[in-house]
Amino acid sequence: MKCGKRDLLLYAVTDRSWSEGTTLGAQVEEALRGGATFVQLREKKLTGEALRAEALEIQAVCRRYDVALAKEIDADGVHVGQDDMEAGDVRAILGADKIIGVSAHNVEEALRAERHGADYLGVGAAFTTSSKPEAGHIDAETIRAICETVKIPVIAIGGIKEENLLRLRGNGLCGVAVISAIFAQKDIEAATRRLHA
């Protein structure tokens, strides 16, 4: 399975810290109803069977909407960072039919990820972000240079909110990845719908 630019338009990255009285699965369903086109299960605290159970629940929700998820449950793909495995090594484990996204912070990392078989890139942080405060902010010129240099789709991630989303226009991006702009909102479906629009 491959993903196209339209699949990456609004990439929702989960964060359970805003679940307050509801399940992550219910939040993901709201995001999908609102127009999220791609979902990544991001779990820094769950491991083992608890992570697998969460991934299976989220996958079941996403499959009702034709969206992909996590590696643990033989989902359609995985996203890896610069400190994780190279895309080629991931491809060797998962196979040719899986979607592999790679984080990139500069043109060199972007080209290396593309050479090693990445299907898309997540570049950033586009703006400062509380979910990854150690991530350095990259400027619009770097984002544009990455988009102009690689042939695979590029999405921006990091600190993207409804208020600053349009500042990314014109850089060659095919979409954005967001966390709090969806999952920290009281009405997830409405927030997702506004972002999608």
Side-chain angles (χ1 to χ4, degrees):
M1 170 174 283
K2 295 295 179 190
C3 66
K5 289 182 178 183
R6 292 184 56 82
D7 298 321
L8 298 168
L9 178 67
L10 186 53
Y11 187 122
V13 182
T14 66
D15 189 328
R16 73 176 42 261
S17 63
W18 293 297
S19 58
E20 298 179 10
T22 186
T23 68
L24 197 55
Q27 288 186 312
V28 167
E29 184 144 14
E30 285 184 62
L32 292 168
R33 279 197 312 264
T37 58
F38 206 94
V39 175
Q40 175 187 332
L41 175 61
R42 180 176 183 260
E43 276 299 341
K44 299 293 186 180
K45 296 185 177 151
L46 289 183
T47 58
E49 190 53 38
L51 177 60
R52 185 175 190 284
E54 183 83 86
L56 286 168
E57 178 189 352
I58 300 299
Q59 182 186 48
V61 170
C62 289
R63 287 212 166 138
R64 290 198 304 267
Y65 292 84
D66 290 326
V67 185
L69 264 217
K71 169 186 171 185
E72 293 291 321
I73 52 171
D74 190 31
D76 297 330
V78 65
H79 186 95
V80 294
Q82 286 296 311
D83 296 331
D84 300 321
M85 299 169 74
E86 286 280 359
D89 296 331
V90 175
R91 176 78 61 216
I93 293 168
L94 293 181
D97 64 332
K98 300 299 182 181
I99 300 166
I100 298 175
V102 177
S103 297
H105 309 95
N106 54 53
V107 171
E108 180 185 336
E109 290 176 357
L111 286 169
R112 186 174 62 244
E114 182 178 46
R115 263 193 324 272
H116 286 120
D119 294 304
Y120 74 91
L121 300 172
V123 301
F127 305 102
T128 53
T129 174
S130 61
S131 68
K132 210 169 192 181
E134 75 281 1
H137 167 264
I138 66 173
D139 57 34
E141 291 76 29
T142 303
I143 293 172
R144 188 176 302 108
I146 291 170
C147 291
E148 290 172 352
T149 303
V150 298
K151 293 176 178 59
I152 58 178
V154 179
I155 60 171
I157 188 168
I160 300 168
K161 302 189 179 327
E162 190 175 348
E163 308 82 66
N164 61 17
L165 176 67
L166 294 180
R167 289 175 37 199
L168 295 168
R169 187 185 302 180
N171 287 329
L173 296 163
C174 67
V176 294
V178 297
I179 302 173
S180 64
I182 290 178
F183 293 105
Q185 306 309 307
K186 294 246 184 264
D187 188 335
I188 290 172
E189 182 177 349
T192 307
R193 199 175 304 284
R194 286 192 306 273
L195 289 167
H196 190 270

